[in-house]
Amino acid sequence: MIKLPIDLRQILLLTCLVFVGCLLSTLPAAAQTSAIDSGFNPQLWLKNALEWVASLGSIGALAFIGIYIIATVAFLPAFILTLGAGVLFGVWLGSVYVFIGATLGSIAAFLVGRYLARNWVAKKIAGNNKFQAIDRAVSKEGLKIVLLTRLSPIFPFNLLNYAFGVTGVSMRDYIIGAIGMIPGTIMFVYLGSLAGNLALIGTETQPTNPTLQWTIRIVGLLATIAVTVYVTKIAKQALNNLTVES
């Protein structure tokens, strides 16, 4: 695993903070005031951000992607942005912008998990051969595991990004595995497009498609079962191999 020099990590972190600060400073004053008055309400903040994006015209897509990256890294409910993309950009363009934002955001979170937490975790499991064996086994099958978990909406997206950074999954497998987000992205953007109005996003009055919702649940359940069985099998094989070697 490549280790970044300390000074380079600091530069990258500072760059991210500057980017976030610049973006937040350009949000409408009304959006910031409403969030402060009500205490920090993530959904309200993201809805206000979507309204701001809608007012930007042709550069709105870039702002949307930037906000999606921030939401992913900061553990904000990005599903609001996914639904909103359907209203602002339509199903196909909305899906493209969401996928780009989610992928870049997940990579940023993965890097934070890897370079700020991975070394600490490695030290903790240094004397535990079982954990090391499982970690190595999982890393070898990283692409399949990432794909399956991305297909399942049951696994929390934001937390999963950091969690993979702490495992031995390679960056290559992690990035390629992002294609598993495509089916869910398209379906949720489509559901958002049915609202036709940002005010309805995330509310009980938002139009839905029961057939599509059940499809998402069934696919998610199957993917969850598959990844659980698969990881259990890999872990068992790793422990058996460790026992034989011992």
Side-chain angles (χ1 to χ4, degrees):
M1 182 179 64
I2 300 174
K3 293 185 178 180
L4 291 176
I6 296 298
D7 56 340
L8 181 54
R9 295 185 205 176
Q10 293 173 339
I11 291 173
L12 289 173
L13 180 60
L14 180 60
T15 301
C16 291
L17 290 175
V18 170
F19 174 74
V20 172
C22 290
L23 184 59
L24 291 178
S25 66
T26 57
L27 284 173
Q32 297 181 39
T33 302
S34 59
I36 293 173
D37 290 343
S38 59
F40 182 65
N41 184 326
Q43 292 196 23
L44 178 61
W45 189 88
L46 291 175
K47 281 189 177 182
N48 287 330
L50 285 170
E51 292 177 359
W52 174 63
V53 168
S55 70
L56 296 179
S58 58
I59 65 171
L62 291 177
F64 175 84
I65 291 172
I67 292 171
Y68 209 106
I69 294 172
I70 293 172
T72 301
V73 175
F75 278 85
L76 298 180
F79 76 92
I80 292 292
L81 297 176
T82 303
L83 295 173
V87 177
L88 296 180
F89 308 111
V91 176
W92 299 116
L93 280 179
S95 297
V96 171
Y97 298 151
V98 167
F99 181 72
I100 293 174
T103 300
L104 293 178
S106 66
I107 291 174
F110 177 88
L111 291 174
V112 171
R114 172 140 298 181
Y115 293 109
L116 296 184
R118 175 64 185 173
N119 291 338
W120 177 83
V121 172
K123 292 178 182 178
K124 290 295 182 182
I125 67 174
N128 193 314
N129 293 332
K130 291 183 179 181
F131 279 123
Q132 288 181 328
I134 292 173
D135 190 31
R136 287 195 299 269
V138 169
S139 67
K140 292 179 182 178
E141 303 295 336
L143 179 55
K144 295 177 183 178
I145 294 172
V146 175
L147 272 172
L148 289 171
T149 53
R150 291 309 192 193
L151 283 170
S152 172
I154 294 177
F155 291 97
F157 173 68
N158 291 341
L159 180 60
L160 203 59
N161 298 327
Y162 288 96
F164 275 125
V166 175
T167 70
V169 174
S170 70
M171 172 68 83
R172 173 183 171 277
D173 287 346
Y174 180 76
I175 294 176
I176 295 176
I179 63 176
M181 296 188 292
I182 293 177
T185 294
I186 294 175
M187 287 189 286
F188 281 111
V189 171
Y190 169 71
L191 288 176
S193 71
L194 296 178
N197 189 325
L198 289 176
L200 298 178
I201 295 296
T203 65
E204 294 181 357
T205 57
Q206 178 182 333
T208 60
N209 184 321
T211 301
L212 186 56
Q213 287 182 315
W214 274 106
T215 299
I216 294 173
R217 291 169 183 168
I218 292 172
V219 171
L221 177 61
L222 293 175
T224 302
I225 294 173
V227 73
T228 301
V229 172
Y230 192 59
V231 172
T232 301
K233 179 181 178 182
I234 292 174
K236 184 177 180 180
Q237 289 177 342
L239 292 175
N240 288 338
N241 292 336
L242 182 62
T243 301
V244 172
E245 293 173 1
S246 301

